[in-house]
Amino acid sequence: MLWDQSALMIIDMQNDFVLPEAPLCIEGAAATLPRIRELLDAFRSRGLPVVHVIRHHRADGVDAEGIREGLFRQGAGFAVPGTKGAEIVDELKPLEDEFVIIKRRFSAFMQTELDFILRRMGIRRLVVCGTQWPVCIRTTIFDALALGYDVISIVDATSARSEDVAAANIRDIAAMGVSCMDVSRFLGPRS
């Protein structure tokens, strides 16, 4: 049932957000890599859609959110195409037939082709993981709900800067009807 009409969405697992020396490293993002990889392998083995959502910004930062524009002016830009930082971490590199959606704002749905692609594939349920809770994960989940998708949030495959921030966001989205579970519960008993 959980697998029917489902797609896996892996959000912002790029070097600039995951690697410890990265400009916008999210503490805890690297620790989620093994659990995200478990999900990725499960979706791949079942031939189900995988959507990698990433950020790209111009080197001058003119297309970044206002609150982050200053980083570019200070020379601390991030997710600039062609840089190592903009690449998806090695452990999660997309396969040729997997989707890569490029966004410039927090939500994976804002001004992208994501909704169109999901509807064309008949997807009704999104299994969401990645980084980070209070912005890109949360806004993507809110927009998915507003667009009528069922959402499963994989809480131990999603990171935030602190446990408190993660817990507050999990509480909020669960109160909105999002199924929040860990990888082992989602994958179920293994034979």
Side-chain angles (χ1 to χ4, degrees), residues 4-190:
D4 295 343
Q5 299 175 309
S6 294
L8 176 64
M9 286 183 58
I10 303 172
I11 299 177
D12 289 350
M13 293 302 286
Q14 296 163 262
N15 292 323
D16 274 346
F17 307 119
V18 177
L19 299 181
E21 68 279 2
L24 290 180
C25 177
I26 306 302
E27 189 175 329
T32 64
L33 286 171
R35 286 176 293 288
I36 295 172
R37 186 61 203 222
E38 275 185 80
L39 289 168
L40 182 58
D41 290 343
F43 272 78
R44 285 175 174 171
S45 71
R46 288 169 173 82
L48 293 171
V50 174
V51 180
H52 300 265
V53 179
I54 62 171
R55 275 185 173 265
H56 275 179
H57 290 299
R58 292 171 46 95
D60 61 7
V62 72
D63 58 352
E65 292 95 348
I67 61 171
R68 291 183 169 167
E69 235 179 321
L71 292 171
F72 287 86
R73 283 195 297 277
Q74 297 164 9
F78 60 94
V80 175
T83 66
K84 184 75 175 161
E87 294 175 12
I88 294 171
V89 294
D90 289 339
E91 296 88 336
L92 306 175
K93 290 285 185 200
L95 298 179
E96 216 173 279
D97 64 341
E98 293 174 347
F99 296 92
V100 177
I101 301 293
I102 297 170
K103 66 184 176 79
R104 287 176 173 72
R105 291 294 184 262
F106 299 134
S107 174
F109 288 97
M110 185 175 180
Q111 298 179 350
T112 71
E113 69 274 31
L114 179 60
D115 185 50
F116 175 77
I117 289 170
L118 294 172
R119 291 187 192 283
R120 287 295 299 263
M121 291 189 301
I123 300 301
R124 298 179 54 84
R125 180 177 298 106
L126 301 177
V127 179
V128 180
C129 63
T131 199
Q132 86 154 324
W133 273 112
V135 282
C136 299
I137 299 294
R138 185 178 175 120
T139 57
T140 297
I141 287 173
F142 283 175
D143 284 352
L145 292 171
L147 290 165
Y149 292 96
D150 293 330
V151 179
I152 298 173
S153 174
I154 308 297
V155 297
D156 62 340
T158 305
S159 56
R161 292 198 184 274
S162 74
E163 290 297 319
D164 290 346
V165 169
N169 281 274
I170 293 165
R171 253 190 332 271
D172 285 350
I173 65 168
M176 295 174 58
V178 172
S179 297
C180 297
M181 59 182 76
D182 61 22
V183 172
S184 62
R185 182 171 160 217
F186 179 79
L187 295 180
R190 312 230 174 123

